[in-house]
Amino acid sequence: MTLLDSAPLDVLDAYRTCEFVTLGRDGTPAAWPTAVRRQKDGTLLLSTSLAFSQKALNIRRDDRVALLFSDPTGSGLAHAPQIFVGGRAECPDEIMTGPQGAEDYWRMLFERQPHSRAYVSAPLRRLMDWYYLRLLITVTPDQLVVRPPLPPSAPRDPEGPTALPGSAQLAGFPSAVLAARDASGAPVLARTRPVPTDEGFAVEVPDDCAATAGPASLLVHRHDDQLNHMRNALVRGTLTAGDRRLLVPTNVVEPMGTGRPTDAIRVLRSTRRATSRYLERRGLDRPRVRWDEFKALAVSAKRT
């Protein structure tokens, strides 16, 4: 028996993405959507490309992490419960150039994200090699909480304070994920409905989420049933104490852009530059991706 065995595993496995949080150098918990594969030994396998290696760098400095399965888009589940997992992560500084050791993880991605199969074709390989240069992250759970889905909300008043950083981003989503820290400093996650006020975003924190005052953030993200048309934004700030909890925002991070036609080109350039920086700082040449191995997995997944 492992800790995860007490969770509704069929639900956990059906989720296409989860919110994954690490702790930044300044202690701010930063959450981003990611794909996860449950392992037979009770651990969870994730990965990050070199272009978005901050998660890996955070883990190597402080291995406390958390995951929240709370957006069932594409899972086929209605009113799915939320699953919170806290634990410790490992992320060796070993660049994976092929699917070796993570074949099931990559097969899952090719099956659930059909458009990614095109990335292994010859015309796109030169542009997309950064996507396949990955670091593997293994999470060993030590905390598990199952929560009911967020109840339906009343229609929101479109009016309200709009000068707050993040107002425009949060307004486009029915809910957000609060990333904060508990009394020990470990990250915690909870899905909530931020309400803009003059001082900040009012948030409700469930009783089983021991979020304390301090650095915090709000994540919004979306994707379609086939993990396409992704959009995400992170509103960083400070969570207040007291009966009325507020996330007082300071800045907004939108790594994939704001939806403009030019965003795809900008993101492609920035990811390639970030990949090069990761390699240069370690004195490494750009590894060659094992395209044939990825293509074989993509083809087999396409037949399922």
Side-chain angles (χ1 to χ4, degrees), residues 156-174:
R156 291 180 58 179
D157 184 353
E159 301 296 327
T162 58
L164 294 171
S167 292
Q169 290 80 4
L170 296 183
F173 293 81

Side-chain angles (χ1 to χ4, degrees), residues 43-117:
T43 61
L44 296 169
L45 180 65
L46 306 80
S47 74
T48 184
S49 69
L50 302 189
F52 297 103
S53 61
Q54 191 58 55
K55 293 188 288 291
L57 301 179
N58 289 346
I59 288 168
R60 291 168 191 165
R61 186 176 51 253
D62 190 328
D63 66 355
R64 294 175 296 179
V65 300
L67 309 91
L68 181 65
F69 298 80
S70 66
D71 179 0
T73 300
S75 69
L77 302 175
H79 310 295
Q82 304 175 65
I83 303 173
F84 169 81
V85 179
R88 302 271 180 168
E90 292 181 298
C91 185
D93 197 2
E94 179 182 358
I95 300 171
M96 309 303 292
T97 60
Q100 67 277 9
E103 289 87 352
D104 288 344
Y105 177 87
W106 280 104
R107 189 176 292 108
M108 176 191 74
L109 290 184
F110 286 129
E111 291 174 355
R112 294 181 172 183
Q113 193 178 45
H115 74 272
S116 68
R117 299 168 190 155

Side-chain angles (χ1 to χ4, degrees), residues 148-209:
L150 208 61
S153 62
R156 291 180 58 179
D157 184 353
E159 301 296 327
T162 58
L164 294 171
S167 292
Q169 290 80 4
L170 296 183
F173 293 81
S175 63
V177 172
L178 172 68
R181 300 185 306 184
D182 65 16
S184 73
V188 293
L189 295 165
R191 186 164 284 275
T192 186
R193 290 194 174 90
V195 178
T197 72
D198 291 331
E199 298 81 22
F201 298 102
V203 293
E204 291 187 7
V205 181
D207 293 338
D208 58 23
C209 178

